[in-house]
Amino acid sequence: HRLCADATALLPTLLDGLIWRSKLAISSQRRVNYYVKHVIQDGDGKFNKALKWFVDAQDPKIICHPVVVLFSDMIWGRLANKYFFASRCYFGATLLVFIVSQSILQHLSDGKEDDTQRIATFVCRVFIYIGSMGQLFVNQVRYLVSNCKTKSFVSVGCIKVPEYLFDMQKLGALALLTVLFLMCTQEPIFHCAAEVGGNGDLFTQRCPSVEGTGRQDAYSALSMIALLLYWGLLVDLTIFSMRISAYTLVCGRVLSELGLFLGGMCFLVLAFSSSIGALKHKSKDFSDIPKGALSLLEITLGLFPTEHFMSVQKEVPVLIAVSLFIIIVTVFLLNLLVAQLNGAYHAIYADMVGFARLTRGTIIVSTLAGVSDKRWNRFLSALKLEEKLEFNEGDIGLAGGIQVLEPSSANPSAVDRIKRFAGSTSSRMPWPAEQGDIDEEDKFERLEKVIHRATKKMTGGRGGKKRGAGSSSLGQGSSSGQGASGGSAGSGDSE
């Protein structure tokens, strides 16, 4: 956990140490042992949090390491995918019921609906409001309570927002819940229920309290938005394929480039429509700013009627302005958008597989939280992590790993990573010293002796110089003393 949080640069070295590759290749296949027991299960036999820590690190390189790929794909393929698919099957069923009630049943008859059709519509919609909207509401309450317990809030300006709302899936679920609630308040069947006792039909959607009030139009618009949200929330099913999931993530990452293009196009449409509106002309398609903006938008999208160009050609100023707009938007901006999308795709695709695996890792962690201990223990038993693995044929090695075969050209190796020592294998015996370690120690000892001798020489040389200087000083002092004595004696004799 500490490595994932503070020292991700050390993780590749740690994970590489969990792999053993044979230097022998048989039939173009090489044995590879991945010792992943302690990243799959903890000391109590429960699901290890190592995958959660890898996901929290948000490093697309680490999540694509062969060790992480092996054990995460194994958990996904043998256990998690079944539970995840089962949980999404109910959501898919509610989507199917919603499509039947909103897009199929109302178009079965051109005229008046019969009783069977109205009852089927009512049952489907009640199922949506209770089964789908109820489940979404319970999930939102659970997410909110979990964030409140852990105090997981993110400050957006002066407002604290629950952390789960920054997950697009959960935010989309909240939007769908809101739209379904608004649909329930505008449900035509509920508003017409009071008129059943009169001349109304059972579960009808046509009554004076609905027709002419705009409720039907609002309800149909909300139905369309809800269907789009339903389909959008099914995007997470792409996680079953890494290639499709990576493609989906790429599409999401390059939307910013599309947004820049749309912003530039809207600016130019507004600028040219207002400019053309200032001209004196008789073209009805550009008579005012709204019509001019709509016409320019149709020209950009290729929806402008061809015969309307005849009226534009008669007005030379309008023709020049429209031609300039077409050159800037259709020729320049569209080609620039293509170049931007191409550059952004190449820039981010290298990490998209890693981000797709991060998404799958998040789903694995959340899915395994609901897996029973019995099913988890059965999964561990099937892995047979307690059995010792062979290194090469007949060479029994360590337990706690999974052996796979890979092409011999994938990771060629001519060095045996197993270091063997003669003698007893008793745990009481001291760990044998390796020749490389002895050589390293000898090098350090020799280096230390050289430094020590050099230090002594430097210290001794400086001391000798000091002593020589002191002797010469003393010699000069004695000589001058003798000279002085001689002088004194000479002067005495002279006297």
Side-chain angles (χ1 to χ4, degrees):
H1 186 200
R2 180 60 61 87
L3 290 178
C4 291
D6 302 328
T8 54
L10 299 178
L11 285 175
T13 304
L14 172 66
L15 296 174
D16 289 340
L18 301 179
I19 305 175
W20 172 84
R21 286 187 171 89
S22 175
K23 68 177 183 179
L24 302 178
I26 302 176
S27 300
S28 299
Q29 297 290 317
R30 185 192 309 277
R31 291 191 183 197
V32 184
N33 292 353
Y34 292 87
Y35 292 94
V36 295
K37 175 182 178 180
H38 297 291
V39 293
I40 294 179
Q41 67 180 66
D42 57 15
D44 299 327
K46 307 294 183 180
F47 175 62
N48 199 311
K49 294 183 179 180
L51 182 59
K52 180 180 182 300
W53 296 331
F54 288 136
V55 172
D56 292 341
Q58 290 295 304
D59 191 334
K61 304 294 184 183
I62 296 298
I63 203 68
C64 289
H65 192 276
V67 172
V68 184
V69 170
L70 177 80
F71 83 83
S72 61
D73 285 353
M74 189 169 298
I75 295 175
W76 171 257
R78 298 189 183 184
L79 183 62
N81 63 348
K82 301 178 181 63
Y83 285 86
F84 174 72
F85 183 73
S87 65
R88 303 305 290 168
C89 282
Y90 179 78
F91 186 82
T94 58
L95 172 60
L96 181 61
V97 172
F98 193 83
I99 293 174
V100 171
S101 64
Q102 304 297 330
S103 303
I104 296 179
L105 289 177
Q106 63 176 343
H107 298 295
L108 290 180
S109 59
D110 297 334
K112 188 177 180 180
E113 299 176 345
D114 55 14
D115 292 340
T116 304
Q117 187 175 349
R118 290 196 299 270
I119 292 173
T121 302
F122 174 75
V123 171
C124 290
R125 293 185 179 179
V126 169
F127 173 77
I128 291 297
Y129 296 138
I130 296 177
S132 181
M133 188 173 69
Q135 184 194 36
L136 291 171
F137 178 75
V138 171
N139 290 338
Q140 292 295 319
V141 171
R142 189 172 70 250
Y143 297 146
L144 182 60
V145 171
S146 176
N147 283 168
C148 290
K149 286 182 177 180
T150 58
K151 297 182 180 180
S152 300
F153 292 90
V154 179
S155 297
V156 180
C158 58
I159 302 175
K160 289 187 176 181
V161 180
E163 188 179 15
Y164 82 92
L165 291 180
F166 290 88
D167 186 340
M168 295 305 297
Q169 283 291 123
K170 296 174 182 177
L171 181 61
L174 177 61
L176 179 59
L177 173 63
T178 305
V179 173
L180 290 178
F181 176 77
L182 294 176
M183 286 180 60
C184 186
T185 60
Q186 301 296 320
E187 177 58 54
I189 296 178
F190 297 159
H191 287 280
C192 294
E195 302 181 10
V196 174
N199 57 357
D201 297 324
L202 183 65
F203 303 139
T204 184
Q205 302 181 60
R206 299 176 181 176
C207 60
S209 59
V210 173
E211 294 179 346
T213 60
R215 283 198 178 97
Q216 189 68 43
D217 296 336
Y219 183 81
S220 61
L222 291 171
S223 299
M224 182 194 70
I225 297 173
L227 268 174
L228 291 175
L229 289 172
Y230 264 112
W231 284 110
L233 290 175
L234 280 180
V235 172
D236 60 350
L237 289 177
T238 59
I239 202 63
F240 283 94
S241 171
M242 281 292 98
R243 186 174 183 180
I244 299 177
S245 180
Y247 175 78
T248 305
L249 290 174
V250 168
C251 293
R253 294 299 178 98
V254 299
L255 282 179
S256 60
E257 307 296 334
L258 181 60
L260 292 175
F261 166 77
L262 293 177
M265 185 188 69
C266 291
F267 174 79
L268 290 174
V269 166
L270 181 60
F272 276 88
S273 61
S274 59
S275 301
I276 295 174
L279 295 173
K280 291 184 179 181
H281 58 83
K282 298 180 181 180
S283 177
K284 296 181 179 180
D285 295 320
F286 299 92
S287 59
D288 53 23
I289 293 178
K291 290 183 179 180
L294 179 60
S295 299
L296 291 176
L297 184 61
E298 290 177 347
I299 291 174
T300 303
L301 300 177
L303 302 177
F304 193 72
T306 306
E307 57 272 11
H308 289 195
F309 277 106
M310 300 299 296
S311 61
V312 174
Q313 291 178 359
K314 295 178 181 179
E315 303 289 341
V316 178
V318 176
L319 178 62
I320 295 174
V322 171
S323 301
L324 184 60
F325 174 82
I326 293 175
I327 293 173
I328 295 176
V329 174
T330 306
V331 178
F332 176 71
L333 280 187
L334 281 178
N335 287 285
L336 180 61
L337 174 64
V338 172
Q340 285 179 312
L341 293 178
N342 189 24
Y345 179 85
H346 286 290
I348 65 178
Y349 182 75
D351 292 333
M352 279 302 100
V353 176
F355 285 112
R357 289 198 170 275
L358 287 173
T359 304
R360 176 181 282 187
T362 304
I363 293 176
I364 291 174
V365 172
S366 60
T367 302
L368 290 184
V371 175
S372 64
D373 293 340
K374 182 179 179 180
R375 183 67 185 88
W376 172 253
N377 291 331
R378 195 186 312 158
F379 166 73
L380 291 180
S381 300
L383 294 181
K384 299 179 180 180
L385 295 175
E386 304 301 328
E387 296 183 2
K388 293 184 177 181
L389 298 179
E390 285 186 336
F391 290 123
N392 292 314
E393 187 175 359
D395 187 6
I396 304 299
L398 305 174
I402 296 171
Q403 187 173 98
V404 298
L405 296 176
E406 69 177 15
S408 57
S409 59
N411 295 283
S413 176
V415 179
D416 192 353
R417 297 188 61 183
I418 304 174
K419 297 181 179 180
R420 307 176 187 272
F421 302 93
S424 175
T425 58
S426 174
S427 58
R428 298 181 179 179
M429 296 292 292
W431 187 264
E434 301 181 24
Q435 186 63 33
D437 297 338
I438 297 175
D439 293 341
E440 292 295 329
E441 292 178 1
D442 291 343
K443 290 179 181 178
F444 282 113
E445 288 180 2
R446 290 197 298 269
L447 180 60
E448 185 179 0
K449 290 179 180 179
V450 170
I451 295 175
H452 185 64
R453 286 197 299 267
T455 306
K456 287 180 66 177
K457 287 182 178 180
M458 293 172 62
T459 307
R462 291 178 181 176
K465 288 181 180 180
K466 288 181 180 179
R467 287 195 296 269
S471 302
S472 60
S473 301
L474 290 174
Q476 291 176 1
S478 58
S479 301
S480 58
Q482 291 174 0
S485 301
S488 300
S491 60
D493 293 338
S494 302
E495 292 177 358

